Amino acid sequence: MAEQARAEEAAEAEVGALVDRLKERIYATITMIAVVVGLSAGHAGPAGAAATVLTTALALWLAAFAADQQAHRTVHRGFATGAELRRMLYVSSPLLTCAVAPAVMITLAALGAMSLHTALLTAAGLAIASLFVWGFVGGLRMGGGRFLALLAGLVDAVIGVAIALVKVSAGH
């Protein structure tokens, strides 16, 4: 009985880590949409754009990690170590990986395969497409059928487009 309870608790903790990790992935994706759209309207070259994308991802990760540690210290009266620290790093890693697609697109622009403007807008489009995919998958997993999953994906993609439009209308 006690072993089963521990197994259920461990499974629940694993699911919780996956939920938190996906939340960070979606948050980072939304943030990166705003960053690459802002860069596409600016005058940065490929090196400046790459530096902005990479430092943004690093800053997001550092901020999340610092907040996690501070919250852990406050609640548990000590620093996260061992399994708790590994969970924090696992959950927050999508904040770093959100820079991969934009960095690849910027590299292609630097190599002359496309203009930087096109590369940045493509990166934004890929991020918006990923929001659609996560929404669609979430809709399917909720059991609402393909139509409702498609609707959920479209709503999430519209949110991504709205963020891009807010960034453009802000003039950045």
Side-chain angles (χ1 to χ4, degrees):
M1 186 80 130
E3 286 181 35
Q4 182 180 358
R6 278 192 292 267
E8 289 174 5
E9 191 175 297
E12 189 175 313
E14 186 175 325
V15 169
L18 290 173
V19 168
D20 290 346
R21 182 177 167 88
L22 181 56
K23 176 193 65 152
E24 295 292 359
R25 160 78 64 196
I26 293 167
Y27 172 74
T29 299
I30 290 169
T31 301
M32 201 53 70
I33 290 168
V35 170
V36 296
V37 167
L39 285 168
S40 74
H43 303 291
T52 299
V53 163
L54 295 173
T55 57
T56 297
L58 181 61
L60 281 171
W61 177 76
L62 287 171
F65 185 72
D68 283 347
Q69 272 291 7
Q70 184 174 9
H72 190 277
R73 281 193 326 263
T74 302
V75 172
H76 298 287
R77 300 178 184 194
F79 286 101
T81 58
E84 296 161 334
L85 180 60
R86 284 190 298 279
R87 183 188 188 284
M88 281 181 191
L89 294 171
Y90 172 75
V91 165
S92 65
S93 65
L95 294 167
L96 293 170
T97 61
C98 73
V100 171
V104 167
M105 300 311 299
I106 292 167
T107 300
L108 290 173
L111 295 173
M114 65 183 81
S115 71
L116 180 59
H117 181 76
T118 299
L120 293 168
L121 292 181
T122 301
L126 290 170
I128 291 166
S130 77
L131 291 177
F132 169 82
V133 169
W134 285 118
F136 183 79
V137 169
L140 285 177
R141 290 186 55 102
M142 289 175 56
R146 289 193 174 132
F147 177 74
L148 289 177
L150 180 65
L151 187 61
L154 288 173
V155 167
D156 287 353
V158 166
I159 290 168
V161 170
I163 290 163
L165 292 175
V166 166
K167 186 67 176 177
V168 168
S169 70
H172 292 48

